[in-house]
């Protein structure tokens, strides 16, 4: 704030000022890829296929339930407080542009990205569908022999003014960003396969275990730089804000979202943890303090993943087999804060436009917000793209998303913190529910599954060593070739 008031920085100076924060973001993003790949593969390989299925199912049920609760809480709050009633959409300044998104295409892209056609490309790009308008041809020359070989997929929309149909051509393209969902699906299958390969797959398991260990040590190095990076990251963001008046205009909306996030993170999630695990949830949350602070500052659950791993395993002592399996999935699909925010924002925009939502539309918002939050990638401000999907589902103007962009950077930080807290509580809950399976695995791991006769060979070796003993001077002595030698006094 002091730099903002007295510094008189130009746009170029502001960019240079936030440079140390940019370096931190780059370091954290750099470590995401090796961390997700190594943790998922080692986590799944360490579990039996039936056990990993049960753990995965429990995690998904937990994620789904908490997301639905978050959406319901958000809708109850926004309908009760009514932040959009005192003002209209024209009173609020619009910022930025509306992302062009189709609900059907977005959902299909989600499935397409689960199965990337190129694994290397999935490390830095994800598939995205774009619609292009097809201009109607006035006449066709019969003599012309030019035909398009590729089939054109069309989507028709009826125009209200004229009785015409607009045709669209579906064009596939790739946008920058890690395809986390595709990598997780591949690592899940790959981990299960090398886990079942036994001795042959052990080399790969050891490699990925070593990679995971090395990655976590790099994370520890990044931790030393984190306080400096975070200070400049936040200071740079505050300096960039031009219009503080927008915060007053959207104050009630922000208060609604923040109160919903506060209730969800301090009452609902701890209560679920307390009922299932029967331990102090606030002590658990304190163990995750560093991860929560990082999430608040950098507003990306994927970039926070390295710190989340470290806190869950070292501070809260969660089983590594659980964290490696549950946390990468949680960072991708568990978006409690995002779901709550989208539900509140959709109803708020409806209130600004003086639209009364019936029960059916509210249910539609609930379902769409839940589905869209799962599809939101763990990157900053992905909620805006999914927000358009929610607005389109209930017929609200998609361009009104520009009304809330101005304060989204701040709310994004708090909802990311709630997302990370939800992931963390999930590891504790899944570990408690999977205790029997983990204990059973610990017992079976004591017997060498790869070579079940290993135990018998050691017994045979002992018998052989016993035959090497010779009767010397009234006692039994081990042969000189053995490294250990001792004398037993004869009972005779």
């Amino acid at each position: 704030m002091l730099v903002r008031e007295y510094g008189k920085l130009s746009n170029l100076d502001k960019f240079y000022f936030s440079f140390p924060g940019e370096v931190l973001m780059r370091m954290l993003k750099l470590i995401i890829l090796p961390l997700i790949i190594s943790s998922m593969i080692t986590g799944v390989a360490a579990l039996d296929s039936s056990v990993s299925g049960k753990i995965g199912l429990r995690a998904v049920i937990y994620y789904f339930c908490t997301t639905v609760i978050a959406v319901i809480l958000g809708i109850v709050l926004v309908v009760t407080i009514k932040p959009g009633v005192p003002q209209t959409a024209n009173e609020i300044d619009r910022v930025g542009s509306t992302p062009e998104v189709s609900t059907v295409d977005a959902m299909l892209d989600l499935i397409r990205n689960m199965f990337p056609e190129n694994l290397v490309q999935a490390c830095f790009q994800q598939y995205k569908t774009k619609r292009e308008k097809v201009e109607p041809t006035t006449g066709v020359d019969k003599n012309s022999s030019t035909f398009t070989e590729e089939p054109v997929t069309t989507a028709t929309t009826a125009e209200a003014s004229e009785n015409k149909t607009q045709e669209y051509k579906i064009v596939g393209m790739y946008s920058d960003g890690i395809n986390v969902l595709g990598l997780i699906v591949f690592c899940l299958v790959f981990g299960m396969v090398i886990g079942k390969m036994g001795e042959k797959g052990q080399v790969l398991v050891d490699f990925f275990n070593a990679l995971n260990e090395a990655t976590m040590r790099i994370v520890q190095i990044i931790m030393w730089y984190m306080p400096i990076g975070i200070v400049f990251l936040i200071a740079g963001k505050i300096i960039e804000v031009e219009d503080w008046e927008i915060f007053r205009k959207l104050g009630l909306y922000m208060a609604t979202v923040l109160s919903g996030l506060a209730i969800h993170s301090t009452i609902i999630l701890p209560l679920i943890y307390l009922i299932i695990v029967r331990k102090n949830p606030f002590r658990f949350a304190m163990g995750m303090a560093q991860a929560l602070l990082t999430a608040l500052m950098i507003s990306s659950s994927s970039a926070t993943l390295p710190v989340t791993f470290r806190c869950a395993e070292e501070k809260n002592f969660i089983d590594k087999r659980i964290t490696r399996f549950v946390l990468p999935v949680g960072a991708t699909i568990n978006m409690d804060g995002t779901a709550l925010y989208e539900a509140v924002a959709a109803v708020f925009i409806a209130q600004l436009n003086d639209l009364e939502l019936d029960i059916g539309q509210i249910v539609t918002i609930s379902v769409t917000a839940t589905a869209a939050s799962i599809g939101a990638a763990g990157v900053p401000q992905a909620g805006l793209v999914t927000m358009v999907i929610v607005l389109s589902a209930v017929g609200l103007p998609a361009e009104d998303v520009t009304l809330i962009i101005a304060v989204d950077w701040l709310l994004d930080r708090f909802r990311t913190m709630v997302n990370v807290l939800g992931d963390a509580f999930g590891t504790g809950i899944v570990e408690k529910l999977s205790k029997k399976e983990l204990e059973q695995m610990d017992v079976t791991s004591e017997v060498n599954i790869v070579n079940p006769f290993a135990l018998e060979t050691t017994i045979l070796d002992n018998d052989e060593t016993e035959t090497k003993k010779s009767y010397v001077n009234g006692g039994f002595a081990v042969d000189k070739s053995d490294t250990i030698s001792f004398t037993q006094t004869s009972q005779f």
Side-chain angles (χ1 to χ4, degrees):
M1 291 298 284
L2 288 170
V3 175
R4 179 185 169 81
E5 291 298 320
Y6 303 106
K8 306 295 182 188
L9 299 177
S10 65
N11 287 333
L12 199 61
D13 293 335
K14 289 175 185 177
F15 176 76
Y16 290 140
F17 181 81
S18 58
F19 177 72
E22 186 191 342
V23 172
L24 174 67
M25 282 298 291
R26 283 175 167 272
M27 286 196 289
L28 287 170
K29 285 178 179 178
L30 170 73
I31 216 74
I32 292 171
L33 194 63
L35 186 69
I36 288 176
I37 291 171
S38 61
S39 62
M40 276 299 293
I41 290 173
T42 53
V44 177
L47 298 168
D48 186 58
S49 56
S50 59
V51 175
S52 59
K54 287 177 184 176
I55 290 171
L57 185 64
R58 285 166 189 150
V60 169
I61 289 169
Y62 163 78
Y63 294 151
F64 181 74
C65 292
T66 53
T67 305
V68 169
I69 292 166
V71 169
I72 293 167
L73 173 65
I75 287 173
V76 168
L77 283 172
V78 75
V79 168
T80 309
I81 299 170
K82 295 180 179 176
V85 171
Q87 52 194 338
T88 61
N90 296 327
E91 293 173 18
I92 301 167
D93 298 326
R94 295 176 184 271
V95 179
S97 58
T98 311
E100 291 182 12
V101 180
S102 163
T103 309
V104 178
D105 292 342
M107 291 301 170
L108 291 176
D109 284 347
L110 187 68
I111 298 166
R112 286 189 188 104
N113 281 319
M114 287 172 72
F115 308 100
E117 55 188 11
N118 189 324
L119 192 63
V120 177
Q121 190 181 30
C123 297
F124 56 89
Q125 282 187 328
Q126 45 190 316
Y127 187 86
K128 187 182 178 184
T129 300
K130 188 180 178 182
R131 290 188 177 192
E132 288 183 359
K133 288 184 179 180
V134 177
E135 295 298 326
T137 52
T138 51
V140 181
D141 187 9
K142 290 180 181 179
N143 297 325
S144 65
S145 59
T146 54
F147 294 97
T148 52
E149 291 181 10
E150 293 182 2
V152 176
T153 312
T154 59
T156 58
T157 54
E159 291 182 1
S161 56
E162 299 176 20
N163 190 18
K164 290 181 180 178
T165 56
Q166 176 65 59
E167 289 195 349
Y168 289 91
K169 183 171 68 174
I170 302 295
V171 179
M173 57 180 287
Y174 284 91
S175 59
D176 291 335
I178 300 172
N179 181 5
V180 181
L181 204 60
L183 289 175
I184 283 177
V185 170
F186 174 79
C187 292
L188 194 71
V189 176
F190 190 75
M192 286 173 68
V193 169
I194 65 170
K196 283 187 172 182
M197 282 172 70
E199 200 170 17
K200 288 180 181 177
Q202 194 59 40
V203 179
L204 281 169
V205 174
D206 292 341
F207 168 75
F208 285 109
N209 269 316
L211 179 63
N212 188 258
E213 184 66 31
T215 309
M216 292 310 291
R217 290 191 184 186
I218 294 170
V219 171
Q220 288 177 347
I221 297 166
I222 295 171
M223 291 294 137
W224 290 97
Y225 177 72
M226 190 166 279
I228 302 163
I230 281 174
V231 166
F232 281 94
L233 203 65
I234 291 299
K237 204 69 190 175
I238 291 168
I239 290 167
E240 282 176 19
V241 178
E242 298 290 339
D243 182 22
W244 288 95
E245 183 67 18
I246 195 75
F247 286 89
R248 186 189 63 78
K249 290 178 181 176
L250 293 171
L252 199 57
Y253 159 71
M254 289 174 68
T256 308
V257 175
L258 292 174
S259 58
L261 295 174
I263 292 167
H264 190 71
S265 58
T266 59
I267 297 172
I268 293 170
L269 289 176
L271 194 64
I272 295 169
Y273 182 84
L274 182 66
I275 291 167
I276 297 172
V277 183
R278 302 293 174 91
K279 286 183 182 177
N280 188 345
F282 297 105
R283 187 178 293 172
F284 184 92
M286 283 301 292
M288 299 301 300
Q290 195 175 17
L292 297 177
L293 182 66
T294 308
L296 182 66
M297 297 306 170
I298 67 176
S299 72
S300 169
S301 48
S302 291
T304 313
L305 202 54
V307 194
T308 314
F309 266 108
R310 194 162 174 264
C311 290
E313 292 173 4
E314 294 179 17
K315 302 280 177 67
N316 288 328
F317 308 106
I318 303 294
D319 194 309
K320 286 186 177 183
R321 290 170 293 184
I322 297 293
T323 56
R324 289 177 181 184
F325 184 68
V326 172
L327 283 178
V329 178
T332 311
I333 67 170
N334 184 35
M335 302 280 177
D336 297 353
T338 305
L340 186 146
Y341 155 82
E342 286 176 356
V344 171
V347 179
F348 170 70
I349 287 168
Q351 290 171 354
L352 285 176
N353 289 293
D354 290 329
L355 295 172
E356 285 290 329
L357 297 173
D358 56 27
I359 297 296
Q361 286 175 311
I362 288 174
V363 170
T364 305
I365 288 174
S366 306
V367 173
T368 318
T370 306
S373 69
I374 292 168
V379 294
Q381 297 187 347
L384 282 178
V385 178
T386 53
M387 188 72 243
V388 174
I389 297 172
V390 178
L391 293 175
S392 303
V394 285
L396 291 168
E399 61 271 11
D400 279 2
V401 77
T402 55
L403 298 169
I404 56 174
I405 286 177
V407 294
D408 184 71
W409 70 270
L410 183 64
L411 296 176
D412 190 25
R413 286 167 154 69
F414 286 99
R415 66 177 187 256
T416 303
M417 189 169 70
V418 175
N419 292 343
V420 171
L421 184 65
D423 296 344
F425 276 128
T427 57
I429 289 166
V430 172
E431 186 190 39
K432 176 68 177 177
L433 295 173
S434 310
K435 203 170 183 180
K436 284 183 181 178
E437 285 91 343
L438 292 171
E439 284 175 355
Q440 199 172 359
M441 280 184 65
D442 290 335
V443 171
T444 53
S445 64
E446 289 175 10
V447 180
N448 194 339
I449 300 167
V450 176
N451 188 3
F453 300 106
L455 211 63
E456 292 179 24
T457 54
T458 52
I459 294 165
L460 286 169
D461 289 343
N462 289 337
D463 291 336
E464 284 172 18
T465 52
E466 280 182 12
T467 57
K468 288 180 183 178
K469 292 177 185 177
S470 55
Y471 189 80
V472 180
N473 295 331
F476 289 101
V478 181
D479 194 341
K480 296 288 183 184
S481 60
D482 290 305
T483 52
I484 303 167
S485 61
F486 59 94
T487 306
Q488 273 184 318
T489 310
S490 174
Q491 298 294 321
F492 305 118

